[in-house]
Structure formats: structure tokens, C-alpha cells
Amino acid sequence: FTSEMFGTAAAMKIFSGQRTVHWMLAFEAALARAQAQSGVIPLEAAASIERVCAADPIDLDRLTGDSLL
């Protein structure tokens, strides 16, 4: 009962930490592309951002550790 209190297993998979970070990085890469196409940032910067955002698999443990204040 409590395992599905906050959503089904399928919904929890969609909104897992791994998927959330994946889509955050996808957004950042898309933003960089749009900014480069608009001349806000250099094309080389957008390419670098896209490369970094494509990191897979995402190490959530390291990301969590690096994010602690």
C-alpha cells in the first residue's frame, strides 16, 4: 500500500532522480543550442555544453556528494 502512496511504479520510474537529471541536462543542451543559433553564446560553447550534458550514465551519488553545502 505505502509503496504506491505517491504514485505507481511506472510513474516513479519516469520521475526518478536519474530521469529528472537526464531531462534537466537535455533542457540545458537545447538552451545552449538556441542561444548559439541566436548569437548569444559562441557555437563552440554550445558544443561544449552539449558534450557535457550528454554524459551517460549520470553518477547520482557523485552529483549528490558534490552538491552538498
Side-chain angles (χ1 to χ4, degrees):
F1 171 76
T2 56
S3 64
E4 291 194 6
M5 181 181 278
F6 301 107
T8 65
M12 296 306 287
K13 185 175 180 180
I14 293 169
F15 295 105
S16 70
Q18 190 80 17
R19 297 304 299 163
T20 298
V21 173
H22 167 82
W23 288 113
M24 287 175 160
L25 294 174
F27 172 84
E28 292 296 335
L31 177 60
R33 278 192 305 276
Q35 289 176 325
Q37 290 170 354
S38 300
V40 175
I41 65 172
L43 291 172
E44 298 81 17
S48 293
I49 292 168
E50 286 189 85
R51 263 193 312 279
V52 171
C53 289
D56 194 37
I58 299 161
D59 185 346
L60 286 181
D61 290 332
R62 180 176 176 196
L63 180 61
T64 300
D66 289 350
S67 300
L68 297 176
L69 296 177

